[in-house]
PDB file of all heavy atoms in Angstrom:
ATOM      1  N   CYS A 712      75.264 100.707  89.341  1.00 80.00           N
ATOM      2  CA  CYS A 712      75.235 100.913  87.883  1.00 80.00           C
ATOM      3  C   CYS A 712      76.398 100.178  87.197  1.00 80.00           C
ATOM      4  O   CYS A 712      76.291  99.765  86.040  1.00 80.00           O
ATOM      5  CB  CYS A 712      75.297 102.398  87.549  1.00 80.00           C
ATOM      6  SG  CYS A 712      73.835 103.321  88.063  1.00 80.00           S
ATOM      7  N   GLN A 713      77.507 100.023  87.907  1.00 73.00           N
ATOM      8  CA  GLN A 713      78.670  99.341  87.355  1.00 73.00           C
ATOM      9  C   GLN A 713      78.528  97.818  87.422  1.00 73.00           C
ATOM     10  O   GLN A 713      79.432  97.109  86.976  1.00 73.00           O
ATOM     11  CB  GLN A 713      79.942  99.766  88.085  1.00 73.00           C
ATOM     12  CG  GLN A 713      80.336 101.212  87.817  1.00 73.00           C
ATOM     13  CD  GLN A 713      81.538 101.650  88.647  1.00 73.00           C
ATOM     14  OE1 GLN A 713      81.862 101.047  89.669  1.00 73.00           O
ATOM     15  NE2 GLN A 713      82.196 102.718  88.200  1.00 73.00           N
ATOM     16  N   GLY A 714      77.406  97.353  87.976  1.00 74.00           N
ATOM     17  CA  GLY A 714      77.150  95.930  88.030  1.00 74.00           C
ATOM     18  C   GLY A 714      77.768  95.211  89.202  1.00 74.00           C
ATOM     19  O   GLY A 714      77.864  93.979  89.206  1.00 74.00           O
ATOM     20  N   MET A 715      78.198  95.940  90.232  1.00 75.00           N
ATOM     21  CA  MET A 715      78.789  95.322  91.408  1.00 75.00           C
ATOM     22  C   MET A 715      77.733  94.509  92.153  1.00 75.00           C
ATOM     23  O   MET A 715      76.586  94.940  92.259  1.00 75.00           O
ATOM     24  CB  MET A 715      79.389  96.393  92.320  1.00 75.00           C
ATOM     25  CG  MET A 715      80.283  95.860  93.433  1.00 75.00           C
ATOM     26  SD  MET A 715      81.101  97.196  94.356  1.00 75.00           S
ATOM     27  CE  MET A 715      82.213  97.839  93.097  1.00 75.00           C
ATOM     28  N   SER A 716      78.098  93.358  92.673  1.00 73.00           N
ATOM     29  CA  SER A 716      77.134  92.482  93.341  1.00 73.00           C
ATOM     30  C   SER A 716      76.658  93.096  94.647  1.00 73.00           C
ATOM     31  O   SER A 716      77.333  93.925  95.263  1.00 73.00           O
ATOM     32  CB  SER A 716      77.765  91.114  93.631  1.00 73.00           C
ATOM     33  OG  SER A 716      78.826  91.250  94.556  1.00 73.00           O
ATOM     34  N   SER A 717      75.456  92.654  95.079  1.00 69.00           N
ATOM     35  CA  SER A 717      74.872  93.194  96.316  1.00 69.00           C
ATOM     36  C   SER A 717      75.745  92.888  97.528  1.00 69.00           C
ATOM     37  O   SER A 717      75.903  93.713  98.427  1.00 69.00           O
ATOM     38  CB  SER A 717      73.477  92.598  96.523  1.00 69.00           C
ATOM     39  OG  SER A 717      72.620  92.947  95.462  1.00 69.00           O
ATOM     40  N   GLY A 718      76.317  91.677  97.545  1.00 70.00           N
ATOM     41  CA  GLY A 718      77.164  91.323  98.674  1.00 70.00           C
ATOM     42  C   GLY A 718      78.398  92.192  98.767  1.00 70.00           C
ATOM     43  O   GLY A 718      78.791  92.616  99.856  1.00 70.00           O
ATOM     44  N   THR A 719      79.015  92.465  97.643  1.00 75.00           N
ATOM     45  CA  THR A 719      80.214  93.329  97.627  1.00 75.00           C
ATOM     46  C   THR A 719      79.880  94.739  98.052  1.00 75.00           C
ATOM     47  O   THR A 719      80.616  95.372  98.830  1.00 75.00           O
ATOM     48  CB  THR A 719      80.833  93.351  96.216  1.00 75.00           C
ATOM     49  OG1 THR A 719      81.136  92.015  95.812  1.00 75.00           O
ATOM     50  CG2 THR A 719      82.099  94.197  96.204  1.00 75.00           C
ATOM     51  N   ILE A 720      78.749  95.256  97.580  1.00 72.00           N
ATOM     52  CA  ILE A 720      78.324  96.607  97.963  1.00 72.00           C
ATOM     53  C   ILE A 720      78.055  96.674  99.458  1.00 72.00           C
ATOM     54  O   ILE A 720      78.454  97.639 100.143  1.00 72.00           O
ATOM     55  CB  ILE A 720      77.051  97.010  97.173  1.00 72.00           C
ATOM     56  CG1 ILE A 720      77.364  97.175  95.688  1.00 72.00           C
ATOM     57  CG2 ILE A 720      76.457  98.283  97.747  1.00 72.00           C
ATOM     58  CD1 ILE A 720      76.164  97.435  94.830  1.00 72.00           C
ATOM     59  N   MET A 721      77.437  95.629 100.011  1.00 72.00           N
ATOM     60  CA  MET A 721      77.114  95.632 101.442  1.00 72.00           C
ATOM     61  C   MET A 721      78.375  95.646 102.282  1.00 72.00           C
ATOM     62  O   MET A 721      78.490  96.400 103.266  1.00 72.00           O
ATOM     63  CB  MET A 721      76.251  94.435 101.802  1.00 72.00           C
ATOM     64  CG  MET A 721      75.903  94.353 103.287  1.00 72.00           C
ATOM     65  SD  MET A 721      74.853  92.933 103.700  1.00 72.00           S
ATOM     66  CE  MET A 721      73.322  93.415 102.977  1.00 72.00           C
ATOM     67  N   VAL A 722      79.352  94.812 101.913  1.00 69.00           N
ATOM     68  CA  VAL A 722      80.575  94.701 102.718  1.00 69.00           C
ATOM     69  C   VAL A 722      81.502  95.901 102.490  1.00 69.00           C
ATOM     70  O   VAL A 722      82.030  96.480 103.444  1.00 69.00           O
ATOM     71  CB  VAL A 722      81.312  93.391 102.372  1.00 69.00           C
ATOM     72  CG1 VAL A 722      82.670  93.336 103.087  1.00 69.00           C
ATOM     73  CG2 VAL A 722      80.474  92.195 102.764  1.00 69.00           C
ATOM     74  N   LYS A 723      81.704  96.278 101.220  1.00 71.00           N
ATOM     75  CA  LYS A 723      82.706  97.285 100.898  1.00 71.00           C
ATOM     76  C   LYS A 723      82.262  98.709 101.221  1.00 71.00           C
ATOM     77  O   LYS A 723      83.080  99.542 101.643  1.00 71.00           O
ATOM     78  CB  LYS A 723      83.061  97.180  99.410  1.00 71.00           C
ATOM     79  CG  LYS A 723      84.238  98.057  98.997  1.00 71.00           C
ATOM     80  CD  LYS A 723      84.628  97.803  97.558  1.00 71.00           C
ATOM     81  CE  LYS A 723      85.818  98.658  97.149  1.00 71.00           C
ATOM     82  NZ  LYS A 723      86.230  98.435  95.757  1.00 71.00           N
ATOM     83  N   TYR A 724      80.976  98.984 101.055  1.00 69.00           N
ATOM     84  CA  TYR A 724      80.501 100.351 101.227  1.00 69.00           C
ATOM     85  C   TYR A 724      79.548 100.520 102.411  1.00 69.00           C
ATOM     86  O   TYR A 724      79.802 101.330 103.301  1.00 69.00           O
ATOM     87  CB  TYR A 724      79.796 100.814  99.939  1.00 69.00           C
ATOM     88  CG  TYR A 724      80.704 100.895  98.737  1.00 69.00           C
ATOM     89  CD1 TYR A 724      80.589  99.983  97.704  1.00 69.00           C
ATOM     90  CD2 TYR A 724      81.666 101.875  98.649  1.00 69.00           C
ATOM     91  CE1 TYR A 724      81.426 100.037  96.603  1.00 69.00           C
ATOM     92  CE2 TYR A 724      82.507 101.954  97.554  1.00 69.00           C
ATOM     93  CZ  TYR A 724      82.376 101.029  96.530  1.00 69.00           C
ATOM     94  OH  TYR A 724      83.208 101.086  95.459  1.00 69.00           O
ATOM     95  N   ILE A 725      78.490  99.744 102.441  1.00 73.00           N
ATOM     96  CA  ILE A 725      77.449  99.951 103.443  1.00 73.00           C
ATOM     97  C   ILE A 725      77.924  99.587 104.849  1.00 73.00           C
ATOM     98  O   ILE A 725      77.789 100.369 105.789  1.00 73.00           O
ATOM     99  CB  ILE A 725      76.176  99.162 103.081  1.00 73.00           C
ATOM    100  CG1 ILE A 725      75.635  99.631 101.725  1.00 73.00           C
ATOM    101  CG2 ILE A 725      75.116  99.309 104.162  1.00 73.00           C
ATOM    102  CD1 ILE A 725      74.426  98.862 101.234  1.00 73.00           C
ATOM    103  N   LEU A 726      78.514  98.400 104.985  1.00 74.00           N
ATOM    104  CA  LEU A 726      78.954  97.961 106.321  1.00 74.00           C
ATOM    105  C   LEU A 726      80.040  98.863 106.868  1.00 74.00           C
ATOM    106  O   LEU A 726      79.965  99.331 108.007  1.00 74.00           O
ATOM    107  CB  LEU A 726      79.462  96.531 106.243  1.00 74.00           C
ATOM    108  CG  LEU A 726      80.078  95.946 107.541  1.00 74.00           C
ATOM    109  CD1 LEU A 726      79.037  95.973 108.644  1.00 74.00           C
ATOM    110  CD2 LEU A 726      80.594  94.543 107.307  1.00 74.00           C
ATOM    111  N   ARG A 727      81.040  99.166 106.063  1.00 71.00           N
ATOM    112  CA  ARG A 727      82.176  99.982 106.553  1.00 71.00           C
ATOM    113  C   ARG A 727      81.738 101.364 106.988  1.00 71.00           C
ATOM    114  O   ARG A 727      82.143 101.863 108.028  1.00 71.00           O
ATOM    115  CB  ARG A 727      83.242 100.060 105.475  1.00 71.00           C
ATOM    116  CG  ARG A 727      84.477 100.831 105.920  1.00 71.00           C
ATOM    117  CD  ARG A 727      85.610 100.692 104.939  1.00 71.00           C
ATOM    118  NE  ARG A 727      86.794 101.376 105.416  1.00 71.00           N
ATOM    119  CZ  ARG A 727      87.964 101.354 104.789  1.00 71.00           C
ATOM    120  NH1 ARG A 727      88.083 100.672 103.667  1.00 71.00           N
ATOM    121  NH2 ARG A 727      89.002 101.998 105.279  1.00 71.00           N
ATOM    122  N   ASN A 728      80.893 102.002 106.187  1.00 72.00           N
ATOM    123  CA  ASN A 728      80.457 103.350 106.540  1.00 72.00           C
ATOM    124  C   ASN A 728      79.454 103.372 107.676  1.00 72.00           C
ATOM    125  O   ASN A 728      79.352 104.347 108.420  1.00 72.00           O
ATOM    126  CB  ASN A 728      79.852 104.038 105.300  1.00 72.00           C
ATOM    127  CG  ASN A 728      80.919 104.436 104.286  1.00 72.00           C
ATOM    128  OD1 ASN A 728      81.576 105.459 104.420  1.00 72.00           O
ATOM    129  ND2 ASN A 728      81.104 103.600 103.275  1.00 72.00           N
ATOM    130  N   SER A 729      78.712 102.295 107.842  1.00 72.00           N
ATOM    131  CA  SER A 729      77.754 102.218 108.931  1.00 72.00           C
ATOM    132  C   SER A 729      78.439 102.016 110.262  1.00 72.00           C
ATOM    133  O   SER A 729      77.889 102.371 111.321  1.00 72.00           O
ATOM    134  CB  SER A 729      76.765 101.070 108.678  1.00 72.00           C
ATOM    135  OG  SER A 729      76.039 101.263 107.480  1.00 72.00           O
ATOM    136  N   LEU A 730      79.640 101.425 110.260  1.00 74.00           N
ATOM    137  CA  LEU A 730      80.335 101.121 111.500  1.00 74.00           C
ATOM    138  C   LEU A 730      80.753 102.363 112.274  1.00 74.00           C
ATOM    139  O   LEU A 730      80.985 102.289 113.486  1.00 74.00           O
ATOM    140  CB  LEU A 730      81.572 100.262 111.218  1.00 74.00           C
ATOM    141  CG  LEU A 730      81.302  98.793 110.898  1.00 74.00           C
ATOM    142  CD1 LEU A 730      82.602  98.077 110.599  1.00 74.00           C
ATOM    143  CD2 LEU A 730      80.583  98.114 112.054  1.00 74.00           C
ATOM    144  N   ILE A 731      80.879 103.505 111.610  1.00 71.00           N
ATOM    145  CA  ILE A 731      81.322 104.728 112.300  1.00 71.00           C
ATOM    146  C   ILE A 731      80.368 105.067 113.452  1.00 71.00           C
ATOM    147  O   ILE A 731      80.791 105.279 114.591  1.00 71.00           O
ATOM    148  CB  ILE A 731      81.408 105.891 111.315  1.00 71.00           C
ATOM    149  CG1 ILE A 731      82.477 105.615 110.248  1.00 71.00           C
ATOM    150  CG2 ILE A 731      81.732 107.183 112.059  1.00 71.00           C
ATOM    151  CD1 ILE A 731      83.873 105.542 110.773  1.00 71.00           C
ATOM    152  N   GLN A 732      79.076 105.124 113.154  1.00 72.00           N
ATOM    153  CA  GLN A 732      78.100 105.451 114.199  1.00 72.00           C
ATOM    154  C   GLN A 732      77.939 104.308 115.186  1.00 72.00           C
ATOM    155  O   GLN A 732      77.661 104.531 116.368  1.00 72.00           O
ATOM    156  CB  GLN A 732      76.766 105.799 113.556  1.00 72.00           C
ATOM    157  CG  GLN A 732      76.752 107.108 112.794  1.00 72.00           C
ATOM    158  CD  GLN A 732      77.120 108.269 113.669  1.00 72.00           C
ATOM    159  OE1 GLN A 732      76.707 108.392 114.819  1.00 72.00           O
ATOM    160  NE2 GLN A 732      77.922 109.191 113.130  1.00 72.00           N
ATOM    161  N   VAL A 733      78.091 103.071 114.717  1.00 77.00           N
ATOM    162  CA  VAL A 733      77.965 101.937 115.625  1.00 77.00           C
ATOM    163  C   VAL A 733      79.062 101.988 116.676  1.00 77.00           C
ATOM    164  O   VAL A 733      78.809 101.760 117.879  1.00 77.00           O
ATOM    165  CB  VAL A 733      78.041 100.614 114.826  1.00 77.00           C
ATOM    166  CG1 VAL A 733      78.138  99.411 115.764  1.00 77.00           C
ATOM    167  CG2 VAL A 733      76.809 100.471 113.935  1.00 77.00           C
ATOM    168  N   ILE A 734      80.269 102.304 116.265  1.00 75.00           N
ATOM    169  CA  ILE A 734      81.397 102.394 117.211  1.00 75.00           C
ATOM    170  C   ILE A 734      81.151 103.468 118.249  1.00 75.00           C
ATOM    171  O   ILE A 734      81.546 103.344 119.407  1.00 75.00           O
ATOM    172  CB  ILE A 734      82.701 102.637 116.441  1.00 75.00           C
ATOM    173  CG1 ILE A 734      83.128 101.355 115.705  1.00 75.00           C
ATOM    174  CG2 ILE A 734      83.805 103.105 117.352  1.00 75.00           C
ATOM    175  CD1 ILE A 734      84.351 101.518 114.852  1.00 75.00           C
ATOM    176  N   THR A 735      80.477 104.533 117.857  1.00 73.00           N
ATOM    177  CA  THR A 735      80.208 105.647 118.774  1.00 73.00           C
ATOM    178  C   THR A 735      79.442 105.188 120.005  1.00 73.00           C
ATOM    179  O   THR A 735      79.724 105.635 121.127  1.00 73.00           O
ATOM    180  CB  THR A 735      79.410 106.751 118.061  1.00 73.00           C
ATOM    181  OG1 THR A 735      80.126 107.176 116.896  1.00 73.00           O
ATOM    182  CG2 THR A 735      79.205 107.930 118.965  1.00 73.00           C
ATOM    183  N   VAL A 736      78.490 104.300 119.831  1.00 78.00           N
ATOM    184  CA  VAL A 736      77.661 103.869 120.956  1.00 78.00           C
ATOM    185  C   VAL A 736      78.236 102.658 121.683  1.00 78.00           C
ATOM    186  O   VAL A 736      77.761 102.304 122.767  1.00 78.00           O
ATOM    187  CB  VAL A 736      76.225 103.538 120.491  1.00 78.00           C
ATOM    188  CG1 VAL A 736      75.581 104.749 119.864  1.00 78.00           C
ATOM    189  CG2 VAL A 736      76.218 102.374 119.505  1.00 78.00           C
ATOM    190  N   MET A 737      79.234 102.034 121.100  1.00 76.00           N
ATOM    191  CA  MET A 737      79.752 100.812 121.701  1.00 76.00           C
ATOM    192  C   MET A 737      80.424 101.035 123.062  1.00 76.00           C
ATOM    193  O   MET A 737      80.312 100.190 123.943  1.00 76.00           O
ATOM    194  CB  MET A 737      80.738 100.133 120.744  1.00 76.00           C
ATOM    195  CG  MET A 737      80.088  99.380 119.600  1.00 76.00           C
ATOM    196  SD  MET A 737      81.290  98.648 118.465  1.00 76.00           S
ATOM    197  CE  MET A 737      82.129  97.491 119.541  1.00 76.00           C
ATOM    198  N   ALA A 738      81.119 102.156 123.219  1.00 70.00           N
ATOM    199  CA  ALA A 738      81.814 102.424 124.480  1.00 70.00           C
ATOM    200  C   ALA A 738      80.829 102.496 125.638  1.00 70.00           C
ATOM    201  O   ALA A 738      80.997 101.859 126.681  1.00 70.00           O
ATOM    202  CB  ALA A 738      82.622 103.706 124.373  1.00 70.00           C
ATOM    203  N   GLY A 739      79.776 103.317 125.442  1.00 72.00           N
ATOM    204  CA  GLY A 739      78.771 103.421 126.510  1.00 72.00           C
ATOM    205  C   GLY A 739      78.090 102.112 126.795  1.00 72.00           C
ATOM    206  O   GLY A 739      77.808 101.778 127.956  1.00 72.00           O
ATOM    207  N   LEU A 740      77.809 101.344 125.748  1.00 79.00           N
ATOM    208  CA  LEU A 740      77.152 100.050 125.928  1.00 79.00           C
ATOM    209  C   LEU A 740      78.036  99.076 126.680  1.00 79.00           C
ATOM    210  O   LEU A 740      77.564  98.347 127.568  1.00 79.00           O
ATOM    211  CB  LEU A 740      76.783  99.456 124.565  1.00 79.00           C
ATOM    212  CG  LEU A 740      75.626 100.121 123.811  1.00 79.00           C
ATOM    213  CD1 LEU A 740      75.479  99.500 122.437  1.00 79.00           C
ATOM    214  CD2 LEU A 740      74.321  99.990 124.589  1.00 79.00           C
ATOM    215  N   LEU A 741      79.332  99.067 126.363  1.00 76.00           N
ATOM    216  CA  LEU A 741      80.234  98.147 127.021  1.00 76.00           C
ATOM    217  C   LEU A 741      80.357  98.423 128.512  1.00 76.00           C
ATOM    218  O   LEU A 741      80.231  97.520 129.345  1.00 76.00           O
ATOM    219  CB  LEU A 741      81.611  98.195 126.365  1.00 76.00           C
ATOM    220  CG  LEU A 741      82.693  97.307 126.993  1.00 76.00           C
ATOM    221  CD1 LEU A 741      82.244  95.861 127.002  1.00 76.00           C
ATOM    222  CD2 LEU A 741      84.017  97.460 126.259  1.00 76.00           C
ATOM    223  N   VAL A 742      80.599  99.676 128.863  1.00 71.00           N
ATOM    224  CA  VAL A 742      80.713 100.018 130.277  1.00 71.00           C
ATOM    225  C   VAL A 742      79.367  99.823 130.974  1.00 71.00           C
ATOM    226  O   VAL A 742      79.296  99.401 132.134  1.00 71.00           O
ATOM    227  CB  VAL A 742      81.218 101.461 130.451  1.00 71.00           C
ATOM    228  CG1 VAL A 742      81.296 101.857 131.918  1.00 71.00           C
ATOM    229  CG2 VAL A 742      82.588 101.617 129.797  1.00 71.00           C
ATOM    230  N   GLY A 743      78.271 100.114 130.252  1.00 72.00           N
ATOM    231  CA  GLY A 743      76.953  99.855 130.821  1.00 72.00           C
ATOM    232  C   GLY A 743      76.738  98.399 131.105  1.00 72.00           C
ATOM    233  O   GLY A 743      76.102  98.019 132.110  1.00 72.00           O
ATOM    234  N   LEU A 744      77.261  97.528 130.244  1.00 76.00           N
ATOM    235  CA  LEU A 744      77.161  96.087 130.493  1.00 76.00           C
ATOM    236  C   LEU A 744      77.926  95.683 131.734  1.00 76.00           C
ATOM    237  O   LEU A 744      77.443  94.892 132.549  1.00 76.00           O
ATOM    238  CB  LEU A 744      77.706  95.305 129.281  1.00 76.00           C
ATOM    239  CG  LEU A 744      76.795  95.147 128.068  1.00 76.00           C
ATOM    240  CD1 LEU A 744      77.525  94.373 126.990  1.00 76.00           C
ATOM    241  CD2 LEU A 744      75.511  94.409 128.450  1.00 76.00           C
ATOM    242  N   LEU A 745      79.129  96.217 131.888  1.00 70.00           N
ATOM    243  CA  LEU A 745      79.959  95.836 133.026  1.00 70.00           C
ATOM    244  C   LEU A 745      79.362  96.294 134.346  1.00 70.00           C
ATOM    245  O   LEU A 745      79.454  95.613 135.363  1.00 70.00           O
ATOM    246  CB  LEU A 745      81.376  96.402 132.851  1.00 70.00           C
ATOM    247  CG  LEU A 745      82.143  95.867 131.638  1.00 70.00           C
ATOM    248  CD1 LEU A 745      83.481  96.563 131.524  1.00 70.00           C
ATOM    249  CD2 LEU A 745      82.333  94.370 131.736  1.00 70.00           C
ATOM    250  N   THR A 746      78.764  97.497 134.341  1.00 66.00           N
ATOM    251  CA  THR A 746      78.144  97.993 135.568  1.00 66.00           C
ATOM    252  C   THR A 746      76.718  97.454 135.736  1.00 66.00           C
ATOM    253  O   THR A 746      76.268  97.241 136.847  1.00 66.00           O
ATOM    254  CB  THR A 746      78.114  99.519 135.572  1.00 66.00           C
ATOM    255  OG1 THR A 746      77.446  99.984 134.379  1.00 66.00           O
ATOM    256  CG2 THR A 746      79.515 100.082 135.585  1.00 66.00           C
TER     257      THR A 746
END
């Protein structure tokens, strides 16, 4: 509503908040890759 661009919204809000759950699964995926 404030006229912020789609790219700024994606990086500043959507990407940052989405990373929380992504980080949760990264540990298991990394060790799973190594084994």
Side-chain angles (χ1 to χ4, degrees):
C712 293
Q713 291 175 340
M715 192 174 292
S716 65
S717 299
T719 303
I720 293 174
M721 179 179 289
V722 173
K723 188 174 181 180
Y724 296 109
I725 299 176
L726 175 60
R727 183 170 183 176
N728 287 280
S729 300
L730 284 178
I731 297 294
Q732 291 302 319
V733 171
I734 287 176
T735 304
V736 300
M737 283 178 63
L740 288 175
L741 177 58
V742 178
L744 280 179
L745 297 177
T746 55

